[in-house]
Amino acid sequence: MSVQENLTHIKKELPKNVTLVAVSKTKPNEAILEAYEAGQRVFGENKIQEMTDKWEALPKDIEWHMIGHVQRNKVKYMAPFVSLIHGVDSLKLLKEINKQAKKNDRIISCLLQMHIAKESTKFGMDETEIKSLISSEEFKQMENVKVIGLMGMATFTENEAQIKEEFSTLASLFNLLKESNPTTEKIDLQVLSMGMSGDYKIAIKSGSNMVRIGSSIFGARNYS
Ligand SMILES: *Cc1c(COP(=O)(O)O)cnc(C)c1O
């Protein structure tokens, strides 16, 4: 199946309120353009350098999402154009994003990443860390970042009950924080980013409204 056929097939299955991030990491510009021509405008990358190269080469109405772990010293390269950073996992990182956003005279939207998987390899904060970040004085002083939701990755497993439980944990925290944090300039909790090719259907049932899908659109990645 072609990129366009895959995209059409997946989009048919997504409820209207769910945003599709087409994860194009490792894939060439030609593949991205195929999806672009089918109407896709939101793309996700996990390496800042690769995303920056693609941003330079491709149409400027593409929204680029940084979905991977962010190294603080590289934030400056994406600050001029990134439209959403999914993997914010510390106040220190948010501070750097705020600093670079300010230099570019922008307000950068961010999601806080929660660690929900049983695996220790996945990044993210726990509930206490997320709450303390949101309520910190330092965060309240940052004028160039806005927290618009949460992101999480489930364990890579066939065990659907476990995946469901992990997504539900994230959805519960999202709903709780939404209730306890009225919308301000700094915080407007709208986005719950969870679900990839293998588990997006479970994620949507659990309340996700943004899915990050790569291999089901572009085919398997080749890292060699
Ligand atoms: C690669 C990646 C995805 C997409 O994975 P697929 O299984 O190819 O859909 C989603 N989210 C993150 C954070 C990723 O790094």
Side-chain angles (χ1 to χ4, degrees):
M1 291 241 280
S2 71
V3 166
Q4 300 204 349
E5 284 168 331
N6 290 337
L7 202 54
T8 308
H9 176 77
I10 290 168
K11 279 181 126 161
K12 262 193 208 137
E13 292 180 338
L14 296 182
K16 287 266 175 298
N17 69 317
V18 177
T19 302
L20 172 62
V21 180
V23 176
S24 48
K25 62 191 187 196
T26 80
K27 298 295 176 182
N29 291 347
E30 294 71 51
I32 297 175
L33 281 172
E34 262 189 74
Y36 181 88
E37 273 148 28
Q40 183 66 25
R41 290 295 179 272
V42 183
F43 292 87
E45 291 283 334
N46 71 339
K47 298 249 170 11
I48 293 174
Q49 186 60 58
E50 183 177 343
M51 183 171 77
T52 305
D53 291 345
K54 287 172 171 171
W55 166 68
E56 283 171 354
L58 290 162
K60 289 296 175 284
D61 61 340
I62 288 178
E63 277 182 40
W64 293 102
H65 288 201
M66 173 42 59
I67 63 169
H69 182 65
V70 177
Q71 286 172 274
R72 262 181 291 140
N73 60 348
K74 292 188 178 159
V75 171
K76 55 179 177 282
Y77 302 115
M78 66 174 165
F81 68 91
V82 67
S83 76
L84 182 60
I85 301 175
H86 289 234
V88 175
D89 60 359
S90 71
L91 187 64
K92 241 174 155 178
L93 173 59
L94 199 59
K95 225 166 140 174
E96 176 64 14
I97 297 168
N98 183 61
K99 181 175 150 192
Q100 299 300 334
K102 194 177 185 118
K103 280 190 188 164
N104 286 277
D105 199 21
R106 300 185 65 211
I107 293 170
I108 297 180
S109 293
C110 295
L111 305 180
L112 301 178
Q113 183 171 358
M114 186 184 190
H115 184 273
I116 52 172
K118 301 276 186 294
E119 298 151 322
S120 58
T121 49
K122 296 207 165 109
F123 294 99
M125 298 178 277
D126 63 24
E127 179 170 341
T128 313
E129 290 169 316
I130 289 179
K131 284 178 174 164
S132 93
L133 186 156
I134 289 175
S135 57
S136 70
E137 262 322 300
E138 264 184 301
F139 170 58
K140 286 175 189 150
Q141 303 297 326
M142 295 179 192
E143 291 180 338
N144 295 77
V145 287
K146 184 168 188 174
V147 170
I148 65 163
L150 300 181
M151 180 269 213
M153 285 170 90
T155 305
F156 188 71
T157 172
E158 303 275 287
N159 184 344
E160 292 200 2
Q162 186 183 343
I163 296 172
K164 209 169 158 186
E165 188 194 310
E166 293 173 2
F167 284 149
S168 300
T169 302
L170 184 57
S172 306
L173 179 64
F174 178 72
N175 291 327
L176 183 102
L177 292 177
K178 220 172 138 74
E179 278 168 30
S180 52
N181 289 276
T183 301
T184 66
E185 301 253 281
K186 300 256 73 346
I187 186 158
D188 183 8
L189 298 173
Q190 299 291 338
V191 176
L192 182 54
S193 166
M194 53 185 202
M196 325 193 342
S197 292
D199 57 21
Y200 72 90
K201 288 177 189 165
I202 305 174
I204 290 169
K205 276 193 200 137
S206 312
S208 167
N209 60 19
M210 185 174 279
V211 292
R212 311 174 309 269
I213 299 180
S215 42
S216 294
I217 297 173
F218 296 106
R221 285 177 294 274
N222 182 355
Y223 284 104
S224 63

